Amino acid sequence: MNTIDAAMIAILEKRLELSKLNYSDESYDDVEEILHDLEDDFNEKYGDQLEEILEKVHLKHCPESDVLLPTAYLAKKFVETEDGGIEIGKKEGVEVEWIENPAVGARLVLLPSPTRILLMTPKGISVVWEKAI
């Protein structure tokens, strides 16, 4: 596994851990702080590279939508499948104004293993960018 995938998975796992805690849990603040540190490190290390890629994806599929920090595109909640994959809900990632039909709710999601960006629309889910091996 490459380092960008490992960094994304660490963030996703920490988000999952945080989602299982109540605000009143003693460890909530510590887990949240670790998550923010992971996200900051990720944006610092991979942000410029991913923002360039995201700008190209936005230009092609959703030019009216602003490009955000790469961590915004990562899922907040997900389910690990038995085969080690990740299933995400329809509200994950960033909502964008899809060029084909601006009125519908389209979303861009950044996922690891392999590093890729998905475009989720009412027509389905398509990989709009994938890191070359």
Side-chain angles (χ1 to χ4, degrees):
M1 178 183 321
N2 66 40
T3 55
I4 192 170
D5 282 342
M8 277 193 277
I9 289 169
I11 291 170
L12 292 171
E13 287 174 344
K14 197 56 66 177
R15 285 180 176 179
L16 182 61
E17 180 182 348
L18 188 63
S19 73
K20 293 178 180 179
L21 298 175
N22 290 324
Y23 293 116
S24 60
D25 193 297
E26 288 181 16
S27 63
Y28 187 91
D29 289 340
D30 293 335
V31 172
E32 185 177 44
E33 186 173 329
I34 293 168
L35 172 60
H36 290 309
D37 289 344
L38 289 170
E39 291 172 337
D40 290 344
D41 292 346
F42 183 85
N43 285 327
E44 187 174 312
K45 188 168 185 176
Y46 304 107
D48 291 342
Q49 174 188 357
L50 286 172
E51 282 180 30
E52 262 184 51
I53 293 163
L54 286 162
E55 284 175 13
K56 291 175 185 173
V57 169
H58 272 255
L59 190 59
K60 185 174 181 179
H61 300 283
C62 48
E64 297 300 318
S65 299
D66 293 332
V67 176
L68 305 177
L69 288 173
T71 50
Y73 297 84
L74 289 169
K76 301 280 188 260
K77 294 180 182 175
F78 64 95
V79 175
E80 284 188 79
T81 60
E82 288 183 16
D83 64 357
I86 297 172
E87 287 184 3
I88 56 171
K90 294 178 181 180
K91 297 291 184 185
E92 296 304 326
V94 172
E95 187 169 358
V96 293
E97 194 173 313
W98 185 33
I99 198 167
E100 286 188 31
N101 188 348
V104 302
R107 303 187 81 79
L108 288 175
V109 183
L110 175 63
L111 290 174
S113 298
T115 304
R116 63 204 184 276
I117 299 171
L118 304 180
L119 175 64
M120 300 190 311
T121 69
K123 288 185 175 181
I125 298 174
S126 56
V127 177
V128 293
W129 178 85
E130 187 169 343
K131 183 176 180 181
I133 297 173

